[in-house]
Amino acid sequence: KSGLSWQEVKRSRTLQDRDGVQTSDRGDALVRFDGGSELRLGGNTLIIIRQPRQSVFTRERLGEVLVLSGDLQIDSGGRAWG
């Protein structure tokens, strides 16, 4: 048994480690992170959220977003990426 289940979310919901967000062909979604960063997902997009872990290089707590399909737009809340 894979443990995979989907449910429609129309309002805000706190995402946990390994939660997925999937949009339909005409759907969209906004994912907000602590610290102000946002992801805007277009139609037919599937992402998986990974819990922040402390980087061995920078000592920062960094999360991951795995993009399995689709399009997304990133707003880093004014922080520089890279």
Side-chain angles (χ1 to χ4, degrees), residues 9 16 18 22 25-26 31 44 47 53 67 73 79:
V9 177
Q16 304 298 319
R18 299 176 192 236
Q22 182 175 31
D25 60 340
R26 293 186 182 175
V31 178
N44 289 325
I47 64 170
R53 293 169 178 35
V67 181
Q73 182 180 35
R79 289 185 59 189

Side-chain angles (χ1 to χ4, degrees), residues 22-29 41-45:
Q22 182 175 31
T23 59
S24 63
D25 60 340
R26 293 186 182 175
D28 60 2
L41 284 61
N44 289 325
T45 299

Side-chain angles (χ1 to χ4, degrees), residues 6-46:
W6 295 98
Q7 59 182 281
E8 185 174 353
V9 177
K10 293 189 186 249
R11 294 193 161 231
S12 63
R13 176 175 177 250
T14 301
L15 296 173
Q16 304 298 319
D17 188 39
R18 299 176 192 236
D19 275 353
V21 179
Q22 182 175 31
T23 59
S24 63
D25 60 340
R26 293 186 182 175
D28 60 2
L30 174 65
V31 178
R32 289 190 179 120
F33 296 93
D34 295 340
S37 296
E38 296 180 344
L39 292 179
R40 293 185 182 278
L41 284 61
N44 289 325
T45 299
L46 173 59

Side-chain angles (χ1 to χ4, degrees), residues 39 45-48 65-72:
L39 292 179
T45 299
L46 173 59
I47 64 170
I48 305 294
V65 176
L66 307 175
V67 181
L68 302 177
S69 65
D71 298 310
L72 57 87

